[in-house]
Amino acid sequence: MPDYLDDLRLAHVLADAADAATMDRFKALDLKVETKPDMTPVTEADRAAEEIIRGHLHRARPRDAILGEEFGVEGTGPRRWVIDPIDGTKNYVRGVPVWATLISLMEAAEGGYQPVVGLVSAPALGRRWWAAKGHGAFTGRSLTSASRLRVSSVGKLTDASFAYSSLTGWEEQGRLNGFLDLTREVWRTRAYGDFWPYMLVAEGAVDLCAEPELSLWDMAANAIIVTESGGAFTGLDGRPGPHSGNAAASNGLLHDDLLGYLNERS
């Protein structure tokens, strides 16, 4: 089995370059912000970071395909890099430091492409998380200065911390009653949003998190980091991996409970 460590090292190089570009424009008074057709914001920093990552990949991995939020799919083949240049653009625009560049390498497998490398870099927080298939998940400032991630061992919902993004999507999908029932059952709820709750699950600081509507680039890196830390990452339909258009992540012990509540229909 490939060890993917060279790809992981490359992901760190890509993140270093992206971090330099995004931090340079973070809180800039003249930051250019536009609205995309799906009514979500995009900044010049989103596009610049993705272009930088694509440029590095063209030189270092010319045979690999690339899928990015801002510039779509490029190339074909069994290996595909998936990029979200700024996950949390609304936070970025408002000067909230909770945003990150998400980089994943996916490989063709039974059931579709599956993540084998994932990296999440949140430079405004001074934090980075990463994982490679079969090698575990880690957090730290570099490959040589890192600590291993492990999910929590909380086994009861009444002792669990649940993180989510917002209420809107749950209501639109008719899942609000089950969502609210879950919030009443758990020990604690917090609306951290974007990449952040998945990293907290991987660290063992949060036990459950879920989002009702997502794209592949929102999930691929998070998925392997959570699973390599010993947790579970599925769609709300229970399908493992980042392909369901939504996500549920947990320490594994509480995953069936999480899905049960979130699939209650109004």
Side-chain angles (χ1 to χ4, degrees):
M1 185 181 77
D3 66 17
Y4 302 110
L5 294 181
D6 283 343
D7 295 308
L8 181 59
R9 282 188 280 269
L10 174 59
H12 277 271
V13 172
L14 301 176
D16 289 342
D19 287 353
T22 52
M23 286 300 293
D24 182 60
R25 300 300 293 154
F26 184 48
K27 296 187 178 181
L29 297 179
D30 60 344
L31 181 71
K32 295 177 183 177
V33 184
E34 299 173 18
T35 301
K36 294 191 286 189
D38 64 0
M39 302 307 295
T40 60
V42 60
T43 73
E44 60 186 280
D46 291 82
R47 294 187 175 120
E50 186 167 324
E51 287 175 334
I52 287 168
I53 293 171
R54 285 175 181 268
H56 277 276
L57 287 172
H58 289 155
R59 293 187 293 273
R61 297 289 189 276
R63 297 181 179 178
D64 292 353
I66 305 171
L67 169 64
E69 179 177 8
E70 306 308 333
F71 298 106
V73 179
E74 182 180 4
T76 60
R79 289 166 44 102
R80 176 183 291 178
W81 293 86
V82 179
I83 305 159
D84 188 344
I86 299 179
D87 182 54
T89 299
K90 292 177 182 177
N91 282 349
Y92 186 88
V93 169
R94 289 297 304 271
V96 177
V98 183
W99 50 270
T101 295
L102 278 54
I103 300 168
S104 178
L105 172 63
M106 304 186 75
E107 280 197 343
E110 186 176 347
Y113 284 87
Q114 297 299 327
V116 294
V117 168
L119 184 147
V120 173
S121 185
L125 296 175
R127 298 293 308 278
R128 187 175 287 188
W129 304 260
W130 62 88
K133 184 177 179 179
H135 290 278
F138 296 84
T139 185
R141 295 190 176 274
S142 68
L143 281 165
T144 57
S145 178
S147 57
R148 187 152 191 167
L149 298 173
R150 297 205 181 274
V151 296
S152 75
S153 57
V154 172
K156 295 180 180 179
L157 282 180
T158 52
D159 297 328
S161 180
F162 171 51
Y164 61 96
S165 54
S166 67
L167 296 178
T168 309
W170 302 108
E171 187 171 23
E172 290 173 351
Q173 293 188 10
R175 300 178 189 267
L176 184 59
N177 286 347
F179 173 88
L180 291 175
D181 286 344
L182 176 60
T183 66
R184 296 182 184 108
E185 182 69 16
V186 297
W187 166 65
R188 191 171 191 250
T189 63
R190 284 294 183 270
Y192 297 112
D194 301 310
F195 70 94
W196 189 232
Y198 302 98
M199 300 304 99
L200 293 174
V201 168
E203 290 180 352
V206 165
D207 312 299
L208 310 159
C209 70
E211 290 182 274
E213 187 175 0
L214 294 167
S215 298
L216 181 60
W217 47 76
D218 297 314
M219 297 183 281
N222 296 335
I224 188 168
I225 292 171
V226 169
T227 55
E228 284 290 325
S229 67
F233 189 105
T234 72
L236 297 176
D237 56 6
R239 179 184 176 191
H243 293 289
S244 299
N246 45 50
S250 76
N251 63 3
L253 300 174
L254 300 170
H255 207 76
D256 289 344
D257 292 329
L258 174 63
L259 295 179
Y261 275 98
L262 296 180
N263 282 301
E264 287 182 12
R265 292 291 181 166
S266 304

